[in-house]
Amino acid sequence: MVTAPSLADRTVADLPTTVRSGPRYWLDAYLVTARWELANLRLFLPVIVAVQVLAGVGLVLGFGIFTPGPLPPVSVLYVSTGVPVINLYLLGLVLLPQVVGQQRIADTYDFTRSLPVPRGVGLGAWLTVTLAAGIPAMAATLLAAHLRYGFAPHPSAGLLPAVLLVALTATAIGAVLAHVVSQPMVTMMLTQVLNFVAIGFSPVAFPAEQLPGWLAAVNHVLPFESMAVVMRSALSDAPVEGVPRAYAVLSAWSAACVLLAVRALGRRG
């Protein structure tokens, strides 16, 4: 008796080629593509997770070094809930552009684009990679904040939507950089500039009031402050202002960047 291969045994080539629409096709394509991407990174993903854990814990401890004496409660709140955001958006802004850049250098980029899956499915698979590497780093960062500053997280029902939206926005921005900019070196440079701006000049781990007025106004439009707002509201019981606006800003950024990335890849399916 011949049985059909299980989903875990299937590859992209096993996807049906006659029916290329509908929820079942998209689900199958997403699961197979996510498995494909995770398999390609199987040797590097543990290293990526370890680097993110070290970076998150290092940032949490490092902020305390810059302040003489114990951190004020407000600073503890911002650092403890802001560094997990940095864990997620660094992965979205750096990992995907670097991998795509390596594909361009190795002349495998066109082959990856030719796989018979909808382009939006590929972005969904990369979102899975971002979450797989980012969530352990977030957990380690929160543990370090608890042990160092006594921060006690109070997760709310909004934690899952906040994590998903932050990861999606960062991954979508990274996808635009990866697929719209054709020169890998230019892409790498842009990702580093964005990381510098996001960490040093965006109110993620510190209040916006510490910035000049014009820079604070710019950050109201950029997504990084909104990432911190939704995560802070989801991880603490402290009152947080501007949460609905932050969700709206992130939704707009993610939708626009997904559309740009899909268009750059060429819509199929």
Side-chain angles (χ1 to χ4, degrees):
M1 179 178 178
V2 179
T3 59
S6 66
L7 185 61
D9 297 326
R10 298 171 65 186
T11 64
V12 173
D14 295 319
L15 290 174
T17 57
T18 56
V19 180
R20 297 175 59 84
S21 62
R24 177 60 185 273
Y25 172 75
W26 276 74
L27 178 60
D28 280 2
Y30 160 72
L31 293 174
V32 172
T33 306
R35 176 173 171 263
W36 167 281
E37 298 291 1
L38 290 171
N40 286 338
L41 292 171
R42 64 187 181 278
L43 298 179
F44 300 101
L45 197 59
V47 178
I48 293 168
V49 173
V51 169
Q52 286 298 309
V53 168
L54 292 175
V57 172
L59 281 172
V60 167
L61 300 179
F63 277 107
I65 296 175
F66 295 132
T67 304
L71 280 180
V74 172
S75 298
V76 170
L77 174 64
Y78 273 81
V79 169
S80 301
T81 59
V83 177
V85 174
I86 296 175
N87 286 133
L88 286 179
Y89 73 54
L90 284 182
L91 284 166
L93 291 178
V94 176
L95 181 59
L96 174 55
Q98 285 186 349
V99 171
V100 173
Q102 289 300 318
Q103 291 174 352
R104 292 184 187 273
I105 293 172
D107 291 329
T108 60
Y109 178 70
D110 290 335
F111 166 75
T112 304
R113 288 184 60 186
S114 69
L115 297 176
V117 294
R119 302 282 69 81
V121 165
L123 292 177
W126 267 105
L127 175 62
T128 303
V129 174
T130 300
L131 292 171
I135 289 177
M138 286 181 59
T141 298
L142 289 170
L143 178 61
H146 173 70
L147 295 176
R148 176 65 178 84
Y149 306 116
F151 174 74
H154 291 84
S156 68
L159 180 58
L160 180 59
V163 170
L164 290 176
L165 190 54
V166 169
L168 173 61
T169 306
T171 303
I173 295 173
V176 170
L177 293 174
H179 298 298
V180 173
V181 182
S182 60
Q183 296 296 323
M185 291 300 296
V186 176
T187 302
M188 303 299 178
M189 182 181 65
L190 289 175
T191 58
Q192 295 307 313
V193 170
L194 271 178
N195 289 338
F196 176 74
V197 170
I199 294 177
F201 298 97
S202 295
V204 173
F206 56 86
E209 291 76 14
Q210 296 182 207
L211 295 173
W214 66 269
L215 186 54
V218 170
N219 275 288
H220 288 333
V221 181
L222 296 177
F224 306 111
E225 180 184 17
S226 295
M227 292 178 182
V229 169
V230 299
M231 192 68 72
R232 195 178 309 121
S233 68
L235 282 174
S236 71
D237 55 359
V240 180
E241 297 181 356
V243 176
R245 182 186 179 280
Y247 273 103
V249 170
L250 293 181
S251 298
W253 270 91
S254 60
C257 289
V258 166
L259 289 175
L260 285 173
V262 168
R263 183 172 181 177
L265 284 165
R267 189 184 300 272
R268 295 198 300 270

